[in-house]
Amino acid sequence: MRRAGFQLSTRFTTEASAGTQAGVLRSVDGSVEVIESKQHLVQYAQHTRAGAFTETPGVARWSIIWTAPSTGGTSVVFHVAANATNDDDSEFGDFIYTRGRVSEYGGF
């Protein structure tokens, strides 16, 4: 892996808020940006161009701060998609990974 990237969102899974933004995502440095879908009003944390380069081949790290919501539900799903590439400008040697994880956080 010579370059890598990701995109992450946090959404409620229960009650009337299901599918809407859960909490607030915040970037801590220039390797991550947070954008908002105007259509769905959901935040996405994702790598920046600078954040796609790996300092050590085979290792990628990004830092994000998530502030849990104070209202809206008690169960949140974290969706993440990540990619790992060999940086040869072809689809060969590139991999996409996806994962969803539901967390009960005890909202108010």
Side-chain angles (χ1 to χ4, degrees), residues 1-6 29 31-32 47-48 50-63 81-85 97:
M1 177 177 73
R2 305 211 38 150
R3 287 193 193 193
F6 81 100
D29 61 31
S31 68
V32 175
H47 68 279
T48 62
F53 293 94
T54 58
E55 292 180 26
T56 305
V59 177
R61 288 190 173 92
W62 302 276
S63 294
N83 65 332
T85 75
Y97 305 91

Side-chain angles (χ1 to χ4, degrees), residues 27-48:
S27 171
V28 296
D29 61 31
S31 68
V32 175
E33 65 182 351
V34 176
I35 61 170
E36 185 174 304
S37 163
K38 300 300 180 196
Q39 181 181 8
H40 302 290
L41 301 177
V42 173
Q43 290 183 315
Y44 296 92
Q46 61 189 24
H47 68 279
T48 62

